[in-house]
Amino acid sequence: MSSPADTAAFPYEGPEPLREPLAAALARVVDPEISMNIVDVGLVYGVTVDAAVAHVRLTMTSAACPVIDLIMDEAEAELDKVVPPELQIRVELVWEPPWGPERMSAGAKRFMGW
């Protein structure tokens, strides 16, 4: 799979010193249905950090995903470990564009036998 802090796996806008810690935090969040981290699965659509908010856009492989709340809560908890206390954390669930297996890392595709 990708390295724990694969900073090229999703778009990032914000202070450079936060890029790797945020990527590493998100890579610690595992989709329990497939036992892979959400970065490798391609569920992270982007991270934007400004003076007030660390905003993460996530999707799921399906709207029927039974672990949406678990993944969202875990993402927020992991981000809380690395985001400076003066920043608010916003984890947003988005459905556009729809997730597709082409978003998976090469290692995740190999793991899935694709």
Side-chain angles (χ1 to χ4, degrees):
M1 263 42 87
S2 61
S3 68
D6 186 353
T7 59
F10 52 83
Y12 174 82
E13 290 181 30
E16 198 55 39
L18 284 178
R19 179 190 296 261
E20 191 170 325
L22 289 171
L26 292 168
R28 288 191 296 269
V29 178
V30 173
D31 181 330
E33 289 194 303
I34 53 178
S35 300
M36 275 189 279
N37 76 66
I38 62 173
V39 174
D40 278 332
V41 178
L43 301 182
V44 181
Y45 277 10
V47 177
T48 305
V49 180
D50 61 26
V53 179
H55 179 211
V56 178
R57 294 182 318 112
L58 297 180
T59 196
M60 299 294 144
T61 57
S62 154
C65 177
V67 292
I68 291 173
D69 290 338
L70 177 70
I71 291 172
M72 300 285 287
D73 290 348
E74 192 174 331
E76 188 166 336
E78 288 298 331
L79 290 165
D80 194 44
K81 295 175 184 176
V82 299
V83 169
E86 66 273 11
L87 294 181
Q88 184 180 43
I89 297 168
R90 179 170 175 231
V91 179
E92 178 185 10
L93 181 62
V94 298
W95 299 107
E96 292 296 325
W99 179 88
E102 70 281 353
R103 295 195 49 84
M104 296 174 77
S105 71
K109 288 176 185 173
R110 278 192 306 279
F111 178 80
M112 298 296 286
W114 297 352

